[in-house]
Amino acid sequence: MNKTVIAITADRGVPKIKLDRLSQQTSIPILTKKITPDYLLHISTDQLELRKVPEVAKKKPDKALSISIDFAAGKTQHRRLHGGGKGQDIAKAVGLQKIQNPTVLDLTAGMGGDAFVLASLGADVTILERNPVVHALLKDALERASLVFDSELEEILSRLSLVNQSAMDYLESLNETSYPDVIYFDPMFPSRNKTAQVKKEMQFFHDIVGDDQDSESVLQFALTKAEKRIVVKRPRLAEKLTESLEPSFQITGKSTRYDIYLPIK
């Protein structure tokens, strides 16, 4: 399998120093004629985007060629305002009705949507993201959201902390005085060879991040590093992340299932 090639580009007028800084932070090269990229990490005038380079053979332009993260508008804002509060399945899974203002460690940030919801419901969330591209998108989104004049949004952002580190390395650094109340784990779902197109974000993430090959060992380690519970997010009909352990209980929705494990002391 060929490695996905990524390069950095920017709109005209974006200072070269911004490209250099992003390249240094992510170890991704700035686009040159010698590079034939599959994706572009593009600095536009108002946000950072991940753009898929279309195949030359395509006759029709792909309407879903780029993704970015926005915590101040769009789906995230709608979910914050109309998502159902602590009645949501994710809130029940994390235990927000029982644990007041818990500390939550999100091992795999992804697009950051779940972490943002938990922070909006009162949790203090540390977000881990080891992939440099996804981390850069999240960092940009948090910085842009911090510029919006919205006191409620400002309070939510104060409860979010982004860390560019792998789950295993971060868990290894924890001691008994720093264990979070809850560990939240949403490993990359395996690719599905179906004719129906999966969501654009998932297509991009499978190309950029790939599957989480160490998911089972991460879960085993996480079980010793939480105070109250470990929550694993799965597709509703998917097998358990590990067959060697049974969840203490499950919360199942229309398309998503949460497997909840109690920590091993």
Side-chain angles (χ1 to χ4, degrees), residues 168-227:
M168 289 296 277
D169 287 345
Y170 192 90
L171 289 171
E172 181 70 39
S173 71
L174 296 176
N175 57 48
E176 291 185 3
T177 63
S178 58
Y179 288 173
D181 292 318
V182 180
I183 291 178
Y184 183 81
F185 189 26
D186 179 13
M188 182 70 74
F189 295 168
S191 300
R192 298 175 182 176
N193 296 319
K194 292 187 177 181
T195 53
Q197 205 176 30
V198 296
K199 289 177 68 175
K200 174 179 56 175
E201 292 90 347
M202 293 307 298
Q203 286 184 322
F204 283 24
F205 273 42
H206 274 298
D207 289 346
I208 299 298
V209 179
D211 293 338
D212 288 322
Q213 301 293 336
D214 57 351
S215 295
E216 187 170 347
S217 56
V218 168
L219 173 58
Q220 294 281 1
F221 199 27
L223 291 171
T224 68
K225 297 287 186 173
E227 288 289 343

Side-chain angles (χ1 to χ4, degrees), residues 60-213:
K60 294 182 180 180
D62 187 348
K63 294 181 180 180
L65 277 180
S66 69
I67 61 172
S68 60
I69 302 174
D70 194 338
F71 291 126
K75 293 180 181 179
T76 305
Q77 183 187 42
H78 184 271
R79 191 174 174 187
R80 167 166 66 102
L81 298 176
H82 310 290
K86 292 185 179 180
Q88 299 176 70
D89 285 348
I90 186 174
K92 294 176 183 177
V94 170
L96 294 182
Q97 295 170 325
K98 298 179 179 180
I99 311 170
Q100 293 298 314
N101 305 118
T103 54
V104 177
L105 176 62
D106 185 348
L107 299 181
T108 48
M111 298 287 283
D114 287 347
F116 186 88
V117 167
L118 293 174
S120 71
L121 297 175
D124 287 311
V125 188
T126 298
I127 317 171
L128 304 185
E129 181 50 60
R130 63 183 172 185
N131 183 274
V133 173
V134 182
H135 178 266
L137 291 169
L138 286 164
K139 183 172 181 288
D140 174 72
L142 289 170
E143 289 174 350
R144 283 186 286 108
S146 69
L147 300 176
V148 177
F149 184 72
D150 182 327
S151 58
E152 183 181 353
L153 180 60
E154 184 179 345
E155 185 178 345
I156 294 169
L157 294 175
S158 72
R159 292 195 287 268
L160 287 169
S161 177
L162 177 63
V163 179
N164 185 196
Q165 193 171 12
S166 73
M168 289 296 277
D169 287 345
Y170 192 90
L171 289 171
E172 181 70 39
S173 71
L174 296 176
N175 57 48
E176 291 185 3
T177 63
S178 58
Y179 288 173
D181 292 318
V182 180
I183 291 178
Y184 183 81
F185 189 26
D186 179 13
M188 182 70 74
F189 295 168
S191 300
R192 298 175 182 176
N193 296 319
K194 292 187 177 181
T195 53
Q197 205 176 30
V198 296
K199 289 177 68 175
K200 174 179 56 175
E201 292 90 347
M202 293 307 298
Q203 286 184 322
F204 283 24
F205 273 42
H206 274 298
D207 289 346
I208 299 298
V209 179
D211 293 338
D212 288 322
Q213 301 293 336

